[in-house]
């Protein structure tokens, strides 16, 4: 809402009139300041909406002469949904609203216009009405009250009322028009805030419903997979025979027998949820529920409602009582993914549940006790987060009873082929195909770095199978051989690789040399220098970007020679050397070879 204040005659005539302002101008400035303060109050982040409205009435009382103030918001049926009074409890405000004359409130709602009553004691709409107890003065005279009510609207729909009453001294009151205009502007601000609040509540409920729908779909999908022979539970879910995986599974078998809280640590895409499910299946709680929640996917207010539940009427849109994930997991296991992303304020609430095993639903005051085994997961460095103050140290020690580190895919190279075959089998089942991996395809997979771990491998198999041109997946079907591999963006060479990574010793066959290639380039042998084990920056797979060179020559020499022979056209040079244009580009950047322009 934009206010345009016209300059007064005193301002237009210079500074002579600026020393003193008329009372009307001073009051206009005061009310404008009131609008500003109320707009700031309505924009308060994180507070309950009822509390925000109560603050609005408190600010309003500072700028208006008022005895009582009331904001009532109506539901779709016209019944009061939220009733807030200045300094009152919700029940007291509701009682006061119920005492307001129904005809007066109904007139505001039906006509969509303000209602002003100078003396409510003689107005037929307010027959036998008084603002409260003690309406007689010290001398026994009956106090008279004025009443002002304005509609709260969203566009042209009345969604509530804003009403005030004040004591009237039976003298003419000339500021009713100003007060009505002021209250109308405040009601418009409230209406816009209600609209935004309802949109947020609707989106929150939609996201929660969508999350529940996806969880049911995943559960039904798991049942369907079991019907097709997929493993149902236990360690059979985990595919892998490497020593790293066997070590993790041995730890999980031991830890599963206890009730200790477990933290699963590891890079993104290593299968933390799958290992958490396996831990539950091996535990004495296997007959209970396995409930999971991604903490990073929800805002803090939604996360609190999701974990602890809420009572009916706890916030706008809470039309029924709802159990939280802690209650749903009672007697079972609760898995919280991305635990390192929750705020410090919510960490304190979670710590209390872990220490005491009790909590209250949002909007409730009844303490609930649950018996839940907690498993959490994160890919963050929690120790570093604690040192920076981003994660509470007491929560870190409370969670970190048992910590299990899941190995990245590069530390279990022997499992790559097993996982790839399993993902291809799933693709065949779901799409009715019969694809197989060729020998060249296995060599491509074995030489890749996979910074996204198992998740990236699965996506790679599905993407390659989708674009496969025959029933046998070959080397050219992979995105990394068609200049479309996104891993080249994530992998920046050995300098950015995690400590301890060693490129896999994959033998890449020598590229075929075209018949039209120059003799010098055709006679260049396949590199065997140790320096070529380091791929150029951005190469998605170690060993996949070799640059041939002759004995005794540097890696740079054949590049320059090929570029000279091809007229500094990278595509032609790539054909000469048997590489792709992208690999030529990497090599040129690596050796800082400037491109000549003709």
């Amino acid at each position: 809402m934009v206010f345009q204040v016209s300059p007064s005659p005193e301002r237009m005539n210079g500074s002579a009139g600026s020393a003193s302002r008329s009372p009307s101008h001073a009051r206009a400035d005061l009310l404008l300041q009131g609008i500003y303060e109320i707009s700031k109050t309505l924009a308060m982040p994180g507070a309950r909406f009822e509390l925000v409205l109560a603050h609005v009435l408190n600010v309003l009382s500072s700028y208006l002469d008022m005895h009582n103030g009331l904001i009532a918001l109506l539901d779709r049926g016209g019944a009061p949904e939220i009733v807030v009074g200045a300094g009152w409890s919700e029940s007291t405000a509701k009682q006061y609203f119920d005492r307001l004359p129904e005809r007066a409130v109904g007139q505001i709602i039906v006509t969509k216009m303000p209602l002003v009553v100078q003396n409510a004691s003689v107005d037929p709409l307010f027959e036998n009405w008084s603002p409260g107890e003690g309406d007689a003065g010290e001398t026994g005279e009956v106090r008279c009250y004025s009443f002002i009510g304005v509609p709260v609207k969203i566009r042209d729909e009345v969604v509530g009322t804003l009403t005030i009453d004040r004591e009237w001294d039976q003298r003419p009151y000339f500021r009713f028009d100003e007060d009505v205009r002021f209250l109308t502007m405040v009601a418009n601000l409230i209406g816009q805030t209600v609209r935004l609040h309802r949109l947020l509540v609707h989106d929150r409920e939609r996201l929660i419903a969508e999350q529940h729908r996806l969880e049911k779909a995943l559960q039904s999908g798991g049942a369907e997979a079991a019907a097709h022979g997929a493993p149902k539970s236990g360690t059979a879910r985990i595919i892998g025979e490497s020593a790293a995986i066997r070590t993790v599974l041995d730890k999980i078998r031991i830890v599963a027998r206890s009730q200790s809280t477990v933290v699963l640590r590891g890079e993104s895409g290593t299968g933390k949820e799958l290992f958490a499910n396996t831990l539950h299946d091996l535990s004495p709680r296997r007959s209970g529920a396995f409930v999971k929640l991604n903490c990073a996917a929800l805002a803090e207010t939604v996360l609190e409602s999701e974990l602890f539940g809420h009572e009916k009427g706890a916030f706008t849109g809470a039309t029924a009582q709802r159990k939280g994930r802690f209650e749903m997991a009672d007697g079972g296991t609760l898995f919280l993914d991305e635990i390192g992303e929750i705020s410090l304020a919510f960490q304190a609430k979670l710590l209390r549940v872990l220490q005491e095993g009790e909590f209250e639903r949002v909007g409730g005051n009844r303490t609930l006790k649950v018996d839940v085994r907690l498993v959490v997961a994160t890919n963050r460095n929690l120790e570093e987060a604690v040192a920076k103050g981003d994660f509470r140290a007491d929560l870190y020690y409370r969670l970190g009873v048992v910590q299990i580190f899941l190995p990245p895919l590069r530390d279990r190279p022997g499992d790559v082929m097993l996982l790839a075959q399993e993902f291809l089998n799933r693709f065949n089942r779901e799409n009715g195909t019969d694809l197989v991996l060729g020998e060249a395809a296995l060599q491509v997979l074995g030489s890749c770095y996979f910074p996204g771990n198992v998740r990236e491998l699965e996506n790679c198999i599905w993407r390659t199978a989708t674009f496969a041109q025959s029933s046998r997946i070959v080397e050219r079907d992979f995105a990394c051989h068609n200049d479309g591999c996104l891993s080249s963006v994530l992998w920046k060479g050995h300098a950015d690789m995690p400590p301890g990574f060693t490129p896999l010793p994959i033998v890449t066959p020598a590229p075929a040399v075209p018949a039209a290639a120059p003799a010098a380039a055709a006679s260049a042998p396949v590199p065997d220098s140790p320096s070529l084990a380091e791929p150029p920056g951005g190469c998605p797979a170690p060993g996949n970007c070799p640059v041939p060179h002759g004995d005794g020559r540097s890696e740079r020499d054949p590049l320059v020679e090929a570029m000279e022979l091809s007229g500094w056209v990278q595509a032609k040079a790539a054909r000469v050397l048997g590489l792709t244009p992208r690999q030529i580009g990497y090599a040129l950047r690596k050796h800082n070879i400037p491109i000549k322009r003709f």
Side-chain angles (χ1 to χ4, degrees):
M1 183 177 294
V2 179
F3 297 91
Q4 182 175 357
V5 181
S6 301
S8 63
E10 291 81 4
R11 289 182 181 269
M12 297 176 63
N13 293 332
S15 60
S18 60
S20 61
R21 297 179 55 82
S22 65
S24 60
H25 286 156
R27 179 164 174 77
D29 290 344
L30 183 65
L31 296 184
L32 185 60
Q33 183 182 359
I35 292 292
Y36 171 69
E37 295 295 333
I38 289 174
S39 64
K40 288 199 306 181
T41 302
L42 290 172
M44 289 174 57
R48 286 185 59 193
F49 192 53
E50 292 84 346
L51 185 61
V52 171
L53 295 179
H55 285 324
V56 169
L57 289 174
N58 290 332
V59 174
L60 199 62
S61 64
S62 302
Y63 292 90
L64 281 183
D65 177 20
M66 53 181 280
H67 180 244
N68 292 318
L70 199 70
I71 297 175
L73 300 180
L74 311 177
D75 59 18
R76 299 293 182 183
E81 181 180 18
I82 296 177
V83 182
V84 178
W88 293 347
S89 65
E90 295 182 18
S91 58
T92 306
K94 182 67 167 54
Q95 293 174 1
Y96 180 80
F97 180 79
D98 291 338
R99 290 180 54 247
L100 285 176
E102 185 176 348
R103 291 174 56 195
V105 176
Q107 180 173 322
I108 299 173
I109 296 174
V110 172
T111 63
K112 304 178 182 179
M113 297 292 291
L115 173 64
V116 179
V117 177
Q118 182 170 272
N119 186 0
S121 62
V122 297
D123 192 283
L125 290 176
F126 290 83
E127 185 177 0
N128 300 324
W129 173 84
S130 63
E133 300 296 332
D135 294 328
E138 297 179 356
T139 59
E141 77 280 3
V142 177
R143 295 174 178 171
C144 299
Y145 289 91
S146 300
F147 177 89
I148 303 177
V150 296
V152 176
K153 296 188 291 186
I154 298 178
R155 295 188 174 93
D156 197 42
E157 177 189 1
V158 177
V159 296
T161 59
L162 169 60
T163 60
I164 69 168
D165 58 67
R166 61 162 63 103
E167 192 172 345
W168 183 51
D169 57 6
Q170 302 187 21
R171 291 183 298 178
Y173 196 86
F174 297 104
R175 291 213 305 258
F176 277 116
D177 290 344
E178 293 180 3
D179 293 344
V180 169
R181 284 195 296 269
F182 178 62
L183 290 175
T184 301
M185 288 187 287
V186 173
N188 287 337
L189 291 176
I190 295 174
Q192 294 302 316
T193 307
V194 170
R195 176 174 175 270
L196 293 175
H197 183 74
R198 288 182 175 179
L199 288 175
L200 290 175
V201 170
H202 178 267
D203 288 344
R204 175 172 60 183
E205 295 296 332
R206 180 179 59 81
L207 289 173
I208 292 174
E210 180 68 13
Q211 184 175 4
H212 291 168
R213 185 190 66 80
L214 291 175
E215 288 179 356
K216 290 181 180 179
L218 288 174
Q219 292 174 359
S220 62
E224 182 179 353
H228 285 81
K232 294 182 180 181
S233 62
T235 58
R237 295 175 180 268
I238 308 298
I239 299 173
E241 299 176 354
S242 63
I245 284 297
R246 289 198 299 267
T247 300
V248 171
L249 290 178
D250 290 342
K251 291 180 180 179
I252 286 182
R253 290 189 184 97
I254 297 173
V255 173
R257 297 195 295 263
S258 69
Q259 304 295 328
S260 302
T261 302
V262 179
V263 180
L264 298 178
R265 306 277 295 272
E267 298 177 9
S268 178
T270 50
K272 292 183 280 291
E273 181 178 327
L274 186 60
F275 282 92
N277 208 334
T278 300
L279 192 150
H280 170 74
D281 290 339
L282 296 175
S283 71
R285 296 172 175 265
R286 67 177 67 89
S287 58
F290 177 74
V291 182
K292 52 194 175 184
L293 181 66
N294 189 325
C295 299
L298 301 173
E300 180 178 339
T301 53
V302 182
L303 183 61
E304 183 176 4
S305 176
E306 273 294 295
L307 282 179
F308 305 141
H310 61 250
E311 299 288 350
K312 179 180 179 180
F315 47 82
T316 303
T319 57
Q321 184 190 82
R322 185 172 179 276
K323 289 185 177 182
R325 300 301 173 100
F326 271 103
E327 288 183 80
M328 295 166 60
D330 192 15
T333 304
L334 176 61
F335 173 61
L336 300 181
D337 200 4
E338 303 294 350
I339 193 68
E341 305 301 325
I342 62 177
S343 66
L344 288 171
F346 194 78
Q347 290 175 26
K349 299 177 183 179
L350 183 60
L351 180 63
R352 183 208 169 196
V353 181
L354 296 180
Q355 290 178 339
E356 307 297 336
E358 58 185 31
F359 61 94
E360 292 84 30
R361 296 193 189 105
V362 177
N365 51 19
R366 185 166 65 94
T367 300
L368 305 174
K369 294 188 71 70
V370 290
D371 176 23
V372 173
R373 203 269 180 81
L374 191 65
V375 179
V376 301
T378 182
N379 58 8
R380 291 189 63 187
N381 188 330
L382 292 183
E383 292 78 16
E384 182 179 346
V386 171
K388 292 181 178 179
D390 296 333
F391 201 85
R392 292 177 61 104
D394 48 3
L395 180 59
Y396 170 81
Y397 293 120
R398 184 64 183 83
L399 288 174
V401 178
V402 176
Q403 297 197 35
I404 298 178
F405 291 83
L406 304 184
L409 190 56
R410 61 181 173 274
D411 290 347
R412 36 186 296 210
D415 296 337
V416 172
M417 304 310 171
L418 296 175
L419 290 166
Q421 189 60 55
E422 173 61 24
F423 295 145
L424 185 59
N425 292 340
R426 294 180 188 177
F427 181 89
N428 288 333
R429 284 197 302 267
E430 294 191 16
N431 295 276
T433 56
D434 192 20
L435 299 175
V436 295
L437 290 168
E439 185 64 28
L442 296 177
Q443 289 187 357
V444 172
L445 291 173
S447 62
C448 284
Y449 171 57
F450 292 118
N453 295 296
V454 179
R455 183 183 295 117
E456 184 187 359
L457 173 60
E458 181 179 11
N459 292 341
C460 176
I461 294 296
W462 278 66
R463 180 176 60 245
T464 305
T466 300
F467 289 101
Q469 300 179 6
S470 65
S471 61
R472 177 176 289 271
I473 297 177
V474 296
E475 185 178 9
R476 66 174 180 272
D477 293 327
F478 286 89
C480 57
H481 288 268
N482 293 281
D483 298 334
C485 184
L486 298 179
S487 295
S488 60
V489 179
L490 300 176
W491 193 75
K492 303 298 183 184
H494 287 288
D496 293 335
M497 292 169 57
F501 173 72
T502 303
L504 302 181
I506 301 297
V507 179
T508 306
V513 179
S523 62
V526 178
D528 55 0
S529 170
S531 64
L532 293 179
E534 178 183 354
C539 180
N544 273 6
C545 300
V547 181
H549 59 84
D551 292 337
R553 293 195 299 167
S554 69
E555 189 178 353
R556 175 189 176 96
D557 294 339
L559 276 174
V560 176
E561 181 179 342
M563 292 296 291
E564 290 285 356
L565 290 173
S566 60
W568 289 91
V569 178
Q570 295 185 45
K572 293 182 180 180
R575 289 194 293 270
V576 169
L577 296 177
L579 303 176
T580 65
R582 185 178 64 168
Q583 290 171 335
I584 288 291
Y586 290 151
L588 293 173
R589 289 194 296 271
K590 174 183 177 182
H591 296 286
N592 296 320
I593 300 176
I595 304 298
K596 295 183 180 180
R597 307 293 180 184
F598 298 97

